[in-house]
Amino acid sequence: MSYRKNMEITEDEYKTLLDSPSNMKMVNGKNISIKVTRDKDKITLKASGTTSFDEMTFNLMNRIEQLKAKAM
C-alpha cells in the first residue's frame, strides 16, 4: 500500500512503520507458571513467578471473574 496523506501520519513515520518488522525481535522478559484447575463450573488460574496476581477464578455458569491480587 502506498503512502496517503489522509493516514494522519507523516511520510517518514509511514516508512518507519513499513520497516518495523525487519527491526523487531522477541525478547524473553520473564518466565512464569500458571496452574489451571477445574472444579465443576469453576476454572482457577494460579500464578507463580509474577507479582501481578495470585489467582483468578472464572465461574462458567455466572460468567463472573474473581481476582486475588498480591499485596504491593
Side-chain angles (χ1 to χ4, degrees):
M1 180 158 87
S2 60
Y3 173 75
R4 295 183 186 155
K5 289 182 181 180
N6 65 346
M7 297 173 81
E8 297 192 25
I9 59 174
T10 67
E11 203 163 348
D12 285 338
E13 290 170 330
Y14 183 70
K15 287 177 185 175
T16 301
L17 182 64
L18 290 180
D19 291 339
S20 62
S22 61
N23 296 324
M24 288 186 195
K25 64 180 179 177
M26 295 292 289
V27 176
N28 185 8
K30 187 174 188 182
N31 292 321
I32 64 169
S33 296
I34 298 177
K35 181 180 178 185
V36 180
T37 57
R38 182 171 184 171
D39 181 21
K40 298 180 184 174
D41 293 325
K42 291 184 181 178
I43 294 177
T44 301
L45 310 176
K46 290 187 179 181
S48 62
T50 180
T51 57
S52 299
F53 72 97
D54 285 323
E55 83 179 42
M56 178 177 266
T57 302
F58 298 89
N59 185 322
L60 302 176
M61 293 297 289
N62 298 331
R63 298 183 180 166
I64 296 173
E65 303 88 28
Q66 293 177 329
L67 176 65
K68 293 182 182 175
K70 293 187 179 222
M72 299 271 176

